Amino acid sequence: MALIVHKYGGTSVGSPERIKNVAKRVAKARAEGHDIVVVVSAMSGETNRLVALAHEMQEHPDPRELDVVLATGEQVTIGLLAMALKDIGVDAKSYTGWQVALKTDTAHTKARIESIDDQRMRADLDAGKVVIVAGFQGISSEGNISTLGRGGSDTSAVALAAALKADECQIYTDVDGVYTTDPRVVPEARRMDTVTFEEMIELASLGSKVLQIRSVEFAGKYKVRLRVLSSLQDGGNGTLITFEEDENMERAAVTGIAFDKNQARINVRGVPDKPGVAYQILGAVADANIEVDMIIQNVGSEGTTDFSFTVPRGDYRQTIEILSKLQDSIGAAAIDGDDTVCKVSAVGLGMRSHVGVAAKIFRTLAEEGINIQMISTSEIKVSVLIDEKYMELATRVLHKAFNLG
Ligand code: ASP
Ligand code: MG
């Protein structure tokens, strides 16, 4: 008998029928003799609806009050799921985040989990009940309702699994695992039986939407056994996120291709090539809470240089405005950019021991006539910034070049 945390996302609880389906799945695991804690998201579309309602009241909704509104979505699904379970004879009890004392910091709408009190849940499990906990929410150190950022139910589930020392945290979603790339773009994409934490963190941060990145980091830190499975079909082992030391197989150089359209490039041209310029430019952007990703500074010639970087597409206009105001004090000749770019990345732990991966990527793209605007690399990934019209083509040819199909 094991203690297993199940997490069901918005699509999986998107209608009364689907909630009943989840209840059946939970009942089955219970019948196999396991202790089950279930974490659920709000019904699909509900959190977006609540965000929109809040914006009808206030242009920039008060963060504390926004969390009060957003947390209601999950409260509906926990109650409904408990009823569905009782209806088929399974004893269950629902809890909001604050009822199980999921304590967070005070960063409303993106709070971080600080502690969880497992007492109430333990008592229910010992009494043979299924415990259902609302995802995405907690209580702040000041006693207010908090939420964990969009997609945060994944993180709730992993945190509960860590607190309860669960044997496994199973994330049930509308895909049956983690794929080598998005199967909607590349039909030959393959489900991976396993993927390491490091690769999953890169894939999550580079655009793969299967898991909230924070949940993967959390699972890596607390060594939670994490698995992604389909809630819509039966059978299958999904994808297990593994620790590198558990793996002894020879790894392929590249295990996955990710892409991200949420990118825009900013160019600050003809700036003086002297100390402090990068700080002047990026400091102002950071002060506006805009996240900078790729950065390139060219070798200067005749005392000036060009400086380029990328920001999320939604921050493009604001970034241009901020820098235009500073243009004179920076001493830049021109500020421009492009918000029709995308980032395509190849990820693989095997890159550490294979040479020539980057060269192969560049050759593959060159053969298709795709121009690379920026490049960034880490130990286990290579990313290129390209025109967004080539996103699908680049993903397809790279997937093929590394034999991922
Ligand atoms: N309901 C929240 C959202 O839509 C949390 C989640 O689904 O994980 O972002
Ligand atoms: Mg989700």
Side-chain angles (χ1 to χ4, degrees):
M1 185 168 110
L3 170 53
I4 301 174
V5 174
H6 284 199
K7 182 262 169 177
Y8 295 92
T11 317
S12 310
V13 294
S15 67
E17 281 63 45
R18 289 199 170 166
I19 293 176
K20 288 181 187 178
N21 241 355
V22 166
K24 277 190 210 139
R25 214 169 259 280
V26 172
K28 188 163 163 245
R30 184 81 197 105
E32 284 162 8
H34 302 307
D35 280 340
I36 308 290
V37 173
V38 189
V39 175
V40 283
S41 291
M43 295 170 82
S44 53
E46 179 62 9
T47 310
N48 288 342
R49 190 183 74 87
L50 295 169
V51 169
L53 271 178
H55 279 93
E56 281 188 41
M57 298 301 127
Q58 242 187 330
E59 194 186 333
H60 301 290
D62 178 86
R64 180 192 182 278
E65 304 310 329
L66 182 57
D67 276 351
V68 170
V69 174
L70 293 188
T72 61
E74 273 71 11
Q75 188 167 336
V76 171
T77 42
I78 54 169
L80 293 177
L81 179 58
M83 293 173 202
L85 278 164
K86 284 170 192 286
D87 193 56
I88 55 173
V90 178
D91 199 4
K93 211 162 167 186
S94 71
Y95 292 108
T96 60
W98 46 100
Q99 284 178 302
V100 292
L102 191 149
K103 295 220 172 97
T104 72
D105 63 14
T106 57
H108 282 290
T109 75
K110 46 179 184 295
R112 285 187 177 268
I113 299 173
E114 289 180 339
S115 66
I116 294 174
D117 181 357
D118 67 353
Q119 265 188 26
R120 262 183 114 160
M121 293 184 282
R122 284 259 174 235
D124 286 333
L125 292 171
D126 290 346
K129 293 187 209 309
V130 168
V131 173
I132 305 168
V133 181
F136 178 55
Q137 54 174 255
I139 184 164
S140 79
S141 49
E142 289 171 354
N144 295 310
I145 295 172
S146 55
T147 66
L148 309 178
R150 296 306 302 271
S153 297
D154 291 341
T155 304
S156 305
V158 172
L160 286 168
L164 291 161
K165 299 190 176 58
D167 295 282
E168 191 163 295
C169 180
Q170 301 180 342
I171 308 281
Y172 287 90
T173 176
D174 50 1
V175 291
D176 63 350
V178 181
Y179 276 71
T180 48
T181 192
D182 189 333
R184 284 167 299 191
V185 170
V186 185
E188 297 80 36
R190 205 171 29 79
R191 182 182 57 76
M192 299 185 256
D193 288 328
T194 65
V195 61
T196 65
F197 270 96
E198 283 154 297
E199 289 167 325
M200 196 62 223
I201 285 174
E202 292 284 4
L203 290 171
S205 68
L206 293 170
S208 157
K209 301 216 165 42
V210 182
L211 289 170
Q212 195 203 33
I213 177 164
R214 235 190 233 183
S215 72
V216 189
E217 289 166 355
F218 210 102
K221 187 164 162 199
Y222 293 98
K223 296 259 166 184
V224 174
R225 194 178 154 93
L226 186 61
R227 192 187 290 278
V228 177
L229 299 144
S230 167
S231 68
L232 306 176
Q233 70 196 48
D234 275 317
N237 291 324
T239 300
L240 181 67
I241 325 290
T242 58
F243 297 95
E244 199 187 340
E245 53 270 27
D246 300 341
E247 301 244 328
N248 41 22
M249 59 182 192
E250 172 79 24
R251 298 203 69 90
V254 171
T255 50
I257 310 289
F259 51 82
D260 183 3
K261 258 197 182 176
N262 182 22
Q263 297 279 329
R265 191 186 76 239
I266 310 280
N267 309 311
V268 187
R269 299 183 193 271
V271 291
D273 191 11
K274 62 170 198 216
V277 170
Y279 173 64
Q280 253 188 308
I281 297 170
L282 296 179
V285 177
D287 285 344
N289 251 323
I290 294 170
E291 217 176 296
V292 170
D293 180 13
M294 299 166 117
I295 303 171
I296 286 188
Q297 190 194 322
N298 286 340
V299 179
S301 72
E302 289 158 21
T304 66
T305 183
D306 292 341
F307 194 93
S308 297
F309 58 95
T310 60
V311 294
R313 203 173 276 186
D315 295 327
Y316 177 66
R317 289 272 143 235
Q318 198 193 346
T319 310
I320 295 274
E321 268 166 38
I322 290 170
L323 294 176
S324 299
K325 279 192 201 127
L326 290 175
Q327 185 172 351
D328 288 344
S329 66
I330 298 170
I335 289 161
D336 55 46
D338 185 353
D339 63 352
T340 58
V341 293
C342 73
K343 183 168 72 171
V344 176
S345 311
V347 172
L349 270 190
M351 278 185 206
R352 287 182 187 151
S353 50
H354 288 74
V355 293
V357 173
K360 185 165 173 180
I361 291 171
F362 305 150
R363 186 179 68 225
T364 306
L365 297 177
E367 280 166 4
E368 298 295 332
I370 299 173
N371 186 40
I372 301 171
Q373 303 177 7
M374 288 173 114
I375 300 165
S376 78
T377 64
S378 79
E379 213 188 358
I380 67 164
K381 77 141 206 260
V382 176
S383 297
V384 294
L385 194 78
I386 59 174
D387 189 321
E388 70 171 10
K389 72 173 183 246
Y390 295 125
M391 187 178 83
E392 303 198 347
L393 175 63
T395 303
R396 264 200 312 275
V397 294
L398 290 175
H399 194 265
K400 185 144 186 250
F402 288 99
N403 293 321
L404 298 179

